[in-house]
Structures are given as C-alpha cells and as structure tokens.
Amino acid sequence: MNAAKEKKKTRKKNPPSEFKKVLNVIRSMHTPLHIIEVELDVLLLQHYRMKRIGEHLRVIRNTVLGELYKNYLQMARTKKYYTLLKRYGWISCELTKTPDDARLLEKELTQLKEQLSELRDSHNVTFDFARKYGARLREKKFQLLDAVTVWSVCEMAWKTMEKIMFSDGEKPYFYKKSDLITFQGKQAERCIILKHNKKTNEFYVSYHGMNFPLKIKQNDLFITETLSHIRNYYMVNGTEIDRINVDRHLAGKPILPTYRIHNNRIVRKEIRGKIRYFVQITLEGNPVSKRKKDGSFRHTLGTGRIGGDIGTQSIGIVSKDQVFLKNLAERSSNTFETERKIVNIQRYLDRSRRTTNPKNYNVDGTIKKGKKEWIFSKKYKKAQKKLRNLHRKATESRKYAHNEDINRLRSVGDVLIIETMNIKGLQKKAKNDGKIEKTGKWKRRKRFGKSILRRSPGYFIQQAKYRFALTGGKVSEINTWTFKASQYDHMSNTTTKKQLSRRWHVLPDGTKIQRDLYSAFLLYCSDNEGQKPDPERCQIEFENFLLLYNECIQLIINNRKVVLNSGIKIS
C-alpha cells in the first residue's frame, strides 16, 4: 500500500505537445476575454438547495479567512518579520532614487523576498495552506459541496489576505448571512457547465445535478447571436478552429474568433425582495456588435481627436464637431431623485438605531467601544431592504449611463485625450491640520468621497480604456502636473494658478469660457508628445471651438439643465 502511494506521488504528467504549447500561447497572450450575463430559470426546490450550498461556501470562506488572518497576526508580531519588512521598505525607497549600488540593492531585495516567503510558509500564510484547510473542512463537515467551488472560495479568502499583506487592505471582511456568495467555476467542462439540447435547440446550465434553463428575452439579439456563435464555433467546430488558429499564428496572421468558454459562474442578486439567479459566461474573443431590431448596427465608430476633462462629478468634451458638458452617471432626472431617497432612508435608519439602542451610544452621540447587542425594529429591517434595492438601482444606472457616454464618445472619435487622475487620493480624507483661527473650529477633512461614490469617474475611465482598445481606438493619459490644462492661457502663452472655486477662465480679450470645457479644448489641442498644449493648433481651432461652445452653453441654459460644479447659473 505504501509503495503504491510512493509510486503515485512520483508519477509525472506527459509533457504537452508543440501544438498544445502554441495553443496555450494564443489563449494566454493573443485572445481577449469578455463576459455575458443571462438569467436562469430556477425552481423553488433548486433555490432552497442552492441557498444551502451558498451558506456552506460562506462558512468555509469565512473560516479559512479567519485562520489565515490569525496566522498572519502571529507572524506580524515576530521581531524577524518587523525587521525584514522595515529593511524591504527602505531598499524599495532607495531604488526609486536610482543609486550607484542599484545592483547590490536589487540582489538584497531578492534575498529579502525569499526570506519573507519562507516566513509566510513557516506561519501557514499561503494559498496552499488555505486550499488544504478548505479541503479538510469539506471532507469532515461540508460533504454536500464539490471540490471546485470550495477551491474558488479558498482563492477568494487568499485574495483578501493578499490585499492586506501586499496592498492597502487593513482588516478582512467576513461575509454575513445576508450576503450572497458567488458560485465560481474554474473550467468550462467541470462544475458549472453550459450545455446545449439539440432536440429543443435550447441552452441550459448544469450544476451539482441540477439543470437551469436560460431565460432569453425575445428581442435580445446580442445574447441570441452570442449563444449561436458558442454553438457553431466552440461546441461544433472547436477542434478545427484551434488547428486553423495555430497555423495562422505561426504564419503571423490574425487569429479567428473561437467563442470558447473560459469559465462559468452563477451569481445571485436580490431584486425587489426576490433572489434571482444569473449565469456569467466568460468567453474568448471580442463580443459581437450590438444590433437594432431591424438588424443594423447600434453604435458607429468615429475617427479623430477628442479632448476630455473628467472631474469628480461632470465631464467636458471637445472634438472637431461637438462640444458638450454633462454630469457623469446621469441618465435622467430620476438619478437625483434616487440619490435623495437614499439619503433620506439612511437618516431614518440612523434615527431608528439610536432610538432602539440608546445604551450603545455615548453622551456626545458617538458609538461606544467594545462588543454590543443591537436591536432593530421591523420597520428598520423593511427600510434596510428598500435601501439595498435603491443602491442596486443606482449602481445599474451608473453602469448603463457610463456605457452610453463612452459609446457616444467612440462615435465622435478614436483617440480620447484625458489627464491622469488619482481617484483613490481624491476620495480619501485630508490630513487634520488643526483649527481655524477665527472660529476655533476644526478644519474640514472632507474631500470628494461622496461625489466619487455617486458618479464613479474611475469606472468611467476604466471602461473608456477597455472599449476604445476593443474597437481599435486609444485613450491617451497626459501628466496633469506638466500639462497644466486648468492654468494655461493659449492667447498669452502663460500659466496662472487658479483656485478650484473659480469655474470660469477669462481670456486677455475679456471672453469668459467655462473652465472644464476650456481644459478639454487644451487637451484636444495638445502636441504630438502629449507634454503641453500646442499654441499654433489652439489658434487654428479656437474659432470653431468658440462657435460650438456658445451653442453648448445656450443649450444648457435653455433646457435648464443643472451641471454640477460648472458655475453655469440657471435663472
């Protein structure tokens, strides 16, 4: 028996063939990925079973994360870890200064990395420990679960620990019972599998002995066309297309789309008080172009430069044919109404908590430290569900609004020029610099946290980069500190510092221009290197820009459109 075990351990896998090696290179380096989401039809009994599986996965994830965090704290208390980390930080800082002994420092840095890795191994703060610990929990207590989803939740726990150890994470978040965990598959042919019924010509998802049919809307051409590509390319002719792509790659030609399924995951969402299930299918290749009901393409692709000044709440755009200024993440007037409803419910929840739990608060209104018991009324729980649904609506509205704005930009041009933005830095509170001399009050530390929460400029920039690159365009980021778009004057060719509260730029001839749109114009007229505005290009393009600018401002005033932080007064 022992000999058989030793033989099993020493058994080696067959090396991959040359064909497989080239195919893996194509899939890892030359194949983009995209995700489609389709709702699933889940029966009541299946829902209860999925709920039970989800609860078991939540417990495993929290248990593994708690064990990892406990081991990490024990390691962090050791003198060796503190010494190594301090030395690592000092060398990393010195290397940024490009010293003469850079090679020696890099060599020492490599040795420190190895020592820190060995320390993590000795204290069981590794993914291998998390995976094995999760597998033991599954074998002993949670035998209903499969190995793949347990592996996935262990990976989720490890990513949380990585954020704490190597990034800006502070404390781990443990999932509550009300949180809906994701069922994550690792491969297309295991665990969560998309299948096609040839007799009925319908797709369904198979997971844990349960089959969930896909609920496809009647006029959803995008999902219908994508699923037909999965069937025709990947399920029927997958092997043949792989062979063709290997030949094309070796010949230096572009590869054909495969629509091969990378992996599947099942996501649960609470929508208007009901739990609904969706499958997210990760596919290789570019997504199909969206079409209208008549079959024509929904979005056009433009060419040319676009200058974009993206703020925390609004965006100003300047191109050859268009100038417009609008709020970010705004689809209609309902956006402001939803934000107001969220604020009112949050205030009600705070008042209710204070009324039902007076013992948990100090005299000055702050929450007492230590372990506390909270009592929540029925109306509080009902309002909490309403708030959760409003946040979901606001999130979806922001996403759709950003996508619509980016598609509009792509129809205007193919090169978007913007300034670099440190969104993380803007949302953090400022340092406490003491009190105001006149009033004796503490200086406000608030910055742009709420604005960024409601308008999501970082997500807009991320999606713009992705969508422009996907359609053959480009997003160029210009250094804010060297370009100085908000300070430059193209007529006098000088830079003057302006306070953030000044929303209008006055030219030497007395012309007043809205600050964000003028910055967008300067970005549009940047030089080829993207280091500074091109004065000659500014002089040539300014007359056309001024005509379009006046039309834009007049349209905002006539429509009584409120643009946040623009300085445009609506009478």
Side-chain angles (χ1 to χ4, degrees):
M1 188 72 179
N2 294 333
K5 280 185 179 180
E6 288 176 10
K7 191 176 181 182
K8 191 175 181 180
K9 284 181 181 178
T10 56
R11 187 175 61 186
K12 293 182 180 180
K13 292 183 180 179
N14 293 326
S17 62
E18 290 298 322
F19 175 83
K20 277 284 184 183
K21 286 180 181 178
V22 176
L23 193 62
N24 290 335
V25 169
I26 293 170
R27 287 175 178 173
S28 61
M29 297 178 64
H30 302 281
T31 309
L33 300 174
H34 69 280
I35 298 172
I36 63 166
E37 186 177 87
V38 190
E39 190 174 356
L40 297 174
D41 190 5
V42 179
L43 300 175
L44 188 61
L45 289 174
Q46 292 174 336
H47 163 68
Y48 286 130
R49 192 177 178 191
M50 292 290 283
K51 187 178 178 181
R52 188 182 172 195
I53 293 170
E55 177 60 18
H56 288 183
L57 289 173
R58 184 190 72 86
V59 173
I60 287 180
R61 185 256 179 197
N62 286 352
T63 308
V64 171
L65 180 58
E67 196 68 21
L68 283 171
Y69 189 59
K70 184 184 75 175
N71 295 344
Y72 166 73
L73 291 177
Q74 289 176 350
M75 179 183 71
R77 291 190 196 101
T78 60
K79 191 174 180 180
K80 186 178 180 181
Y81 180 77
Y82 175 78
T83 308
L84 290 173
L85 206 62
K86 190 176 180 181
R87 182 67 181 169
Y88 184 90
W90 182 83
I91 292 174
S92 301
C93 185
E94 286 295 313
L95 283 171
T96 58
K97 301 173 185 176
T98 60
D100 297 332
D101 54 346
R103 284 189 178 181
L104 292 172
L105 289 174
E106 285 176 2
K107 189 177 179 181
E108 188 179 352
L109 197 70
T110 306
Q111 292 173 354
L112 286 172
K113 285 179 182 178
E114 291 174 359
Q115 290 176 13
L116 285 167
S117 178
E118 289 172 3
L119 197 63
R120 287 193 294 271
D121 287 340
S122 62
H123 284 83
N124 290 329
V125 190
T126 60
F127 174 65
D128 193 49
F129 169 78
R131 178 182 61 80
K132 289 178 180 178
Y133 192 73
R136 285 200 301 272
L137 287 172
R138 170 179 169 259
E139 289 173 4
K140 290 181 178 180
K141 195 172 181 181
F142 304 104
Q143 297 173 357
L144 176 67
L145 305 177
D146 61 280
V148 178
T149 47
V150 171
W151 177 297
S152 299
V153 293
C154 292
E155 198 171 38
M156 288 165 62
W158 174 245
K159 283 181 179 177
T160 305
M161 280 307 305
E162 279 188 321
K163 195 172 182 182
I164 293 169
M165 290 191 294
F166 308 124
S167 188
D168 55 351
E170 293 180 1
K171 285 185 178 180
Y173 175 76
F174 294 97
Y175 280 15
K176 302 171 186 174
K177 279 194 174 182
S178 57
D179 293 337
L180 302 174
I181 201 164
T182 302
F183 305 89
Q184 175 69 56
K186 303 297 291 182
Q187 297 169 342
E189 297 82 13
R190 289 185 65 191
C191 187
I192 303 170
I193 309 168
L194 179 70
K195 294 183 178 180
H196 178 249
N197 191 334
K198 293 181 181 178
K199 292 181 180 179
T200 59
N201 195 26
E202 292 179 347
F203 284 89
Y204 63 95
V205 171
S206 174
Y207 171 62
H208 222 285
M210 297 176 284
N211 294 332
F212 310 113
L214 269 59
K215 293 171 71 174
I216 304 168
K217 294 177 183 177
Q218 190 176 0
N219 297 322
D220 197 339
L221 297 178
F222 174 74
I223 295 296
T224 306
E225 195 173 348
T226 303
L227 290 174
S228 68
H229 284 339
I230 292 171
R231 182 180 64 247
N232 297 332
Y233 284 80
Y234 167 65
M235 292 184 171
V236 179
N237 302 313
T239 308
E240 181 63 22
I241 290 174
D242 283 342
R243 186 188 61 78
I244 294 169
N245 276 337
V246 168
D247 293 340
R248 291 177 70 88
H249 174 71
L250 294 173
K253 297 178 181 178
I255 61 173
L256 300 174
T258 61
Y259 293 94
R260 188 179 79 92
I261 299 174
H262 196 263
N263 59 55
N264 303 307
R265 69 174 71 93
I266 295 174
V267 179
R268 294 177 292 171
K269 297 180 183 180
E270 186 178 351
I271 301 174
R272 290 182 287 276
K274 292 184 179 179
I275 305 297
R276 290 164 65 176
Y277 291 78
F278 297 84
V279 61
Q280 292 181 350
I281 308 167
T282 307
L283 299 170
E284 289 183 352
N286 294 327
V288 297
S289 300
K290 290 191 175 181
R291 300 175 183 271
K292 298 177 183 177
K293 290 181 181 179
D294 59 359
S296 60
F297 290 111
R298 187 181 293 180
H299 308 298
T300 57
L301 302 179
T303 55
R305 280 185 163 211
I306 310 168
D309 185 72
I310 302 171
T312 55
Q313 297 193 88
S314 60
I315 178 171
I317 294 296
V318 173
S319 69
K320 188 178 181 180
D321 305 316
Q322 291 189 34
V323 171
F324 62 89
L325 179 69
K326 70 180 296 293
N327 293 322
L328 281 169
E330 183 185 5
R331 301 185 79 198
S332 64
S333 59
N334 293 335
T335 303
F336 292 104
E337 291 175 13
T338 304
E339 288 172 0
R340 193 66 209 164
K341 285 178 183 177
I342 288 171
V343 170
N344 290 339
I345 292 175
Q346 285 174 336
R347 285 178 178 174
Y348 163 74
L349 291 174
D350 184 58
R351 290 196 303 269
S352 177
R353 275 196 306 271
R354 291 176 183 274
T355 305
T356 55
N357 304 279
K359 294 179 181 179
N360 294 344
Y361 292 88
N362 296 315
V363 180
D364 59 354
T366 56
I367 299 174
K368 290 180 180 178
K369 292 183 178 180
K371 192 176 180 181
K372 296 170 287 292
E373 288 187 6
W374 294 90
I375 301 168
F376 301 122
S377 64
K378 289 182 180 179
K379 283 187 177 180
Y380 180 94
K381 291 176 182 177
K382 192 175 180 181
Q384 211 173 24
K385 284 185 178 181
K386 191 176 180 182
L387 178 66
R388 196 180 297 125
N389 193 49
L390 284 171
H391 274 301
R392 180 193 61 81
K393 281 184 178 179
T395 303
E396 293 295 322
S397 178
R398 278 195 294 271
K399 185 177 75 172
Y400 291 137
H402 283 334
N403 291 345
E404 288 167 5
D405 290 342
I406 292 164
N407 288 330
R408 180 183 176 183
L409 290 179
R410 188 63 187 88
S411 66
V412 173
D414 60 345
V415 179
L416 176 62
I417 305 167
I418 60 174
E419 290 182 302
T420 54
M421 286 185 71
N422 183 9
I423 306 296
K424 284 278 186 184
L426 290 171
Q427 73 186 28
K428 287 180 180 178
K429 288 185 177 181
K431 291 181 180 179
N432 199 339
D433 292 331
K435 295 181 179 181
I436 302 169
E437 291 182 4
K438 290 183 179 179
T439 60
K441 293 181 179 179
W442 290 99
K443 289 182 180 179
R444 291 181 70 186
R445 297 176 60 209
K446 288 175 68 177
R447 296 185 77 193
F448 305 102
K450 284 185 181 177
S451 302
I452 289 167
L453 169 68
R454 291 171 181 169
R455 303 295 165 182
S456 303
Y459 180 75
F460 180 88
I461 294 168
Q462 177 196 356
Q463 285 297 304
K465 289 177 181 177
Y466 168 72
R467 289 173 182 270
F468 269 71
L470 195 67
T471 54
K474 181 185 177 183
V475 175
S476 297
E477 288 188 290
I478 287 173
N479 193 329
T480 310
W481 301 101
T482 57
F483 196 85
K484 299 179 181 178
S486 60
Q487 302 175 19
Y488 183 75
D489 189 306
H490 78 279
M491 285 190 173
S492 61
N493 198 22
T494 57
T495 57
T496 308
K497 284 188 177 183
K498 293 193 289 284
Q499 289 184 345
L500 198 61
S501 56
R502 286 180 59 188
R503 306 312 301 168
W504 296 88
H505 180 84
V506 183
L507 295 172
D509 61 357
T511 307
K512 284 179 69 178
I513 299 179
Q514 205 279 332
R515 175 175 175 159
D516 297 333
L517 287 175
Y518 188 64
S519 296
F521 168 70
L522 294 175
L523 289 165
Y524 171 71
C525 296
S526 61
D527 59 10
N528 295 327
E529 289 77 26
Q531 295 297 320
K532 57 184 179 179
D534 188 345
E536 292 182 9
R537 186 176 283 172
C538 290
Q539 295 292 345
I540 294 166
E541 300 285 350
F542 184 70
E543 188 177 349
N544 179 52
F545 161 71
L546 198 59
L547 290 171
L548 296 170
Y549 165 80
N550 291 329
E551 290 176 10
C552 170
I553 298 298
Q554 197 60 46
L555 190 67
I556 291 170
I557 295 169
N558 292 342
N559 293 337
R560 301 182 62 81
K561 190 75 176 173
V562 177
V563 181
L564 300 168
N565 296 333
S566 63
I568 302 172
K569 294 181 180 179
I570 308 297
S571 58

